Amino acid sequence: MKTLQFKTNINCGGCVRGVTPSLDGHDSIKSWKVDLQSDDRILTVEVEDSVTPAEVSRTVSEAGFSAQPLERA
């Protein structure tokens, strides 16, 4: 398992409800959460090791939102 983080435009409870079916329906995404308190709206995703940031971004995009991978320091 690994943790990936993304800056996203998921910015309210309605947006979270909108993206939930896509993220919950992805077999390799084990858990996720959006920090709605952060100005950057950080999406944190726990995924299987084989999942790429691009795959998560694509899943979020298909739900109508954006997710830009954050670089790890």
Side-chain angles (χ1 to χ4, degrees):
M1 293 291 237
K2 63 183 175 183
T3 302
L4 302 174
Q5 290 191 311
F6 303 83
K7 181 175 179 180
T8 185
N9 65 344
I10 300 168
N11 60 18
C12 68
C15 296
V16 170
R17 283 189 298 279
V19 78
T20 294
S22 296
L23 291 173
D24 284 354
H26 193 292
D27 290 337
S28 298
I29 295 176
K30 299 308 174 188
S31 67
W32 62 275
K33 65 180 176 180
V34 179
D35 182 356
L36 296 178
Q37 303 304 311
S38 164
D39 288 340
D40 289 333
R41 306 296 195 241
I42 303 300
L43 168 65
T44 303
V45 185
E46 291 285 330
V47 297
E48 293 178 0
D49 289 334
S50 61
V51 175
T52 65
E55 188 175 347
V56 176
S57 291
R58 188 169 42 254
T59 299
V60 172
S61 177
E62 289 170 356
F65 300 95
S66 68
Q68 306 276 330
L70 294 178
E71 297 296 322
R72 291 195 169 197

